[in-house]
């Protein structure tokens, strides 16, 4: 098997979705050859890791701190200003 998890690491969520689809396709192809091989298990582990990363990213979007919520409502307040140094 030539695919590794690192080859699927991407920056954006859309790329992550594409990577999941590609990993599933490769896992199915790998497991067609030998469903009990270590390569088959690794291929599905990669799919699971990618799906877990997608889930983690979605959860991170949903969780905001109280400061983030405050800054969403009051972006001009002193606490929310960002300075470039």
């Amino acid at each position: 098997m030539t695919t590794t998890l690192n080859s699927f690491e991407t920056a954006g969520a859309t790329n992550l979705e594409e990577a999941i689809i590609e990993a599933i396709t490769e896992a199915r192809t790998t497991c067609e050859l030998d469903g009990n091989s270590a390569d088959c298990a690794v291929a599905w582990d990669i799919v699971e890791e990618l799906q877990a990363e997608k889930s983690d990213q979605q959860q991170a979007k949903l969780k905001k701190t109280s400061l983030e919520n405050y800054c969403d409502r009051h972006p001009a307040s002193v606490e929310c200003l960002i300075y470039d140094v």
Side-chain angles (χ1 to χ4, degrees):
M1 188 169 130
T2 59
T3 304
T4 63
L5 183 58
N6 292 335
S7 67
F8 288 116
E9 289 180 357
T10 57
T14 57
N15 290 337
L16 187 58
E17 184 64 34
E18 292 171 8
I20 291 170
I21 292 168
E22 185 178 331
I24 290 171
T25 303
E26 183 159 340
R28 287 180 179 156
T29 302
T30 302
C31 293
E32 284 178 0
L33 302 173
D34 184 9
N36 294 324
S37 71
D39 287 343
C40 178
V42 169
W44 285 111
D45 284 344
I46 291 171
V47 171
E48 289 178 25
E49 289 292 325
L50 289 169
Q51 289 174 334
E53 177 63 27
K54 181 181 176 187
S55 176
D56 290 344
Q57 288 179 4
Q58 288 173 340
Q59 289 297 321
K61 287 180 186 177
L62 297 177
K63 293 182 181 177
K64 286 190 174 184
T65 64
S66 57
L67 178 61
E68 290 171 328
N69 289 331
Y70 177 81
C71 289
D72 286 344
R73 291 187 311 269
H74 310 286
S77 67
V78 175
E79 296 87 355
C80 303
L81 297 178
I82 298 173
Y83 298 97
D84 290 330
V85 179

